[in-house]
Amino acid sequence: MARFGSYILFTILVLSICSFALANDEEEEQTVFKPAKKSVVARNLVVTKATASSIVKEHAKYHIKTGVKNFKGTVLAYVTPWNAKGYDNAKKFGCKMDYVSPTWYRVVFKGGKFSLEGKHDVDKKWVEDVKSPSGCEDSAHTVKIVPRFSFDGWTAEAWGAGMTDPQKIATLITNEVAASGYDGFVLDAGYLSFRQQTRAVIVRFVNELGKAAHTKNQKFVLVVPPLTNPNPEETMVNAQDIAEIQENVDLISVMTYDFSNTQRPGFSSPPSWSFQSMMTLVPRDDTAGDIGQKLLLGLNFYGNDFTLPSGGGPIVGSKYIELLKQHKPKLVWEEEGLEHKFTYSSGGSSHVVYFPTLKFISERLSSAERLTIGVAIWEIGQGLDYFFDLF
């Protein structure tokens, strides 16, 4: 009987230990880190020799002084409806942002008429909260809300109607902006528009929208593709185009990311390409920097998990941390692309992962400041919390 009692006691003890271990594992997974007293710079985390263990340990510890803006240039931050973390970050780190662009709207063409889709995503309370962030070092700091209007999925008929009478599009967008109390808008016509339309048509269309926006005291931000051809004269958008529209555009958001793809794995945004993309848009006679100051370098907060030799796709911060925990890889700094990468194997396949690190972001922000250009982040729900210390 004593032996049986000892067995029961031993069983209870083992179960208790297991339960405690499981509870600790669950608690570790659900840990919400508190703000840190020191920034990532003071904690010596902005380094080429970054480690998986350091990133896992530190990534959610952002500096407690979220009201300080460190980057001297303009910051535009995109927010997507499918990534709720971006909404929270826009409020938490609003003092570091000048413009926030929720990607809510699509301009559609049906039955011979243009209309807007996406109004169901609009969050008026969130807009009010983001516009007036609290605790900013600059007490007068406000954030301008400039929702994105995209032309995804337009047919040739839609393009023909829109380019023939751009005033219809301009009225549709600017009326929505005025009625909703926004500060302006971002126009994302996509790569397709620049491929299908002649330069003269695109220039006229953009100028019409810009004039309509400024008539109503609205900011107008234009999204343009990066360098698509080594010869600047043959790329989709060049300095001559920008010179012809610059008076009617407030900011130009350049999509300097996605340099590589699943068929050609590699860097997300090598400086040799991204900054050449920016400089291709600046006319030689822009000695005062009037156009240069309107440029925003596209900065990705997402990365890619490529399957070799081809395959894979984009990943966000949570997946990146999961991979670091699971594989405990060695991160390698690639000087050519100024990016970190690591490799791992899974299911018989080889993978290479490129994802922004603090050093990746720091290098690009430093270069942007030297060139007196701003940055456009795609998008602020995809990265790691401590990234914002650098802005």
Side-chain angles (χ1 to χ4, degrees), residues 151 153-160 163 189-202 236:
F151 293 175
W154 271 27
T155 63
E157 182 185 10
W159 280 113
M163 296 296 154
Y191 278 41
L192 188 61
S193 64
F194 295 99
R195 287 197 182 103
Q196 289 189 343
Q197 310 300 321
T198 65
R199 279 187 155 82
V201 171
I202 287 289
M236 289 187 190

Side-chain angles (χ1 to χ4, degrees), residues 301-320:
F301 266 21
Y302 65 92
N304 284 285
D305 179 358
F306 294 116
T307 305
L308 301 177
S310 64
I315 58 171
V316 297
S318 56
K319 179 63 178 178
Y320 181 64

Side-chain angles (χ1 to χ4, degrees), residues 67-292:
V68 179
K69 188 174 188 291
N70 298 305
F71 178 64
K72 296 182 176 64
T74 298
V75 176
L76 166 65
Y78 289 102
V79 177
T80 58
W82 52 88
N83 201 335
K85 186 178 179 182
Y87 287 96
D88 296 333
N89 285 341
K91 293 192 291 185
K92 186 188 301 182
F93 302 107
C95 297
K96 298 174 178 291
M97 303 167 193
D98 301 289
Y99 295 83
V100 169
S101 180
T103 58
W104 287 332
Y105 295 97
R106 288 181 62 240
V107 180
V108 297
F109 186 72
K110 293 180 181 179
K113 294 182 180 180
F114 289 101
S115 60
L116 295 177
E117 289 184 350
K119 293 184 180 182
H120 62 279
D121 287 320
V122 175
D123 186 336
K124 293 183 178 180
K125 177 63 169 61
W126 175 83
V127 169
E128 293 175 3
D129 292 342
V130 174
K131 273 193 167 189
S132 302
S134 59
C136 297
E137 184 178 53
D138 177 3
S139 59
H141 181 78
T142 59
V143 177
K144 292 179 174 59
I145 303 297
V146 287
R148 186 190 69 166
F149 291 77
S150 72
F151 293 175
D152 291 346
W154 271 27
T155 63
E157 182 185 10
W159 280 113
M163 296 296 154
T164 301
D165 189 2
Q167 196 57 45
K168 288 183 180 179
I169 306 294
T171 300
L172 183 68
I173 294 176
T174 57
N175 281 353
E176 176 67 15
V177 170
S180 301
Y182 304 136
D183 300 286
F185 61 93
V186 173
L187 177 69
D188 185 356
Y191 278 41
L192 188 61
S193 64
F194 295 99
R195 287 197 182 103
Q196 289 189 343
Q197 310 300 321
T198 65
R199 279 187 155 82
V201 171
I202 287 289
V203 166
R204 174 174 171 266
F205 181 80
V206 169
N207 279 330
E208 287 291 330
L209 264 66
K211 290 175 183 177
H214 292 163
T215 298
K216 296 183 179 180
N217 198 30
Q218 298 172 1
K219 296 292 184 180
F220 177 37
V221 183
L222 178 67
V223 178
V224 302
L227 189 68
T228 55
N229 190 302
N231 182 354
E233 296 302 317
E234 296 180 13
T235 195
M236 289 187 190
V237 183
N238 60 31
Q240 181 181 344
D241 303 322
I242 298 302
E244 292 181 24
I245 65 173
Q246 64 97 8
E247 290 185 1
N248 297 308
V249 174
D250 296 290
L251 294 169
I252 301 166
S253 178
V254 190
M255 295 185 282
T256 44
Y257 28 74
D258 289 340
F259 175 77
S260 302
N261 54 54
T262 55
Q263 301 304 312
R264 189 189 62 187
F267 301 125
S268 302
S269 180
S272 59
W273 167 76
S274 59
F275 285 100
Q276 186 183 1
S277 294
M278 308 301 287
M279 295 302 98
T280 298
L281 301 176
V282 181
R284 293 180 180 178
D285 60 357
D286 184 41
T287 54
D290 295 334
I291 295 178

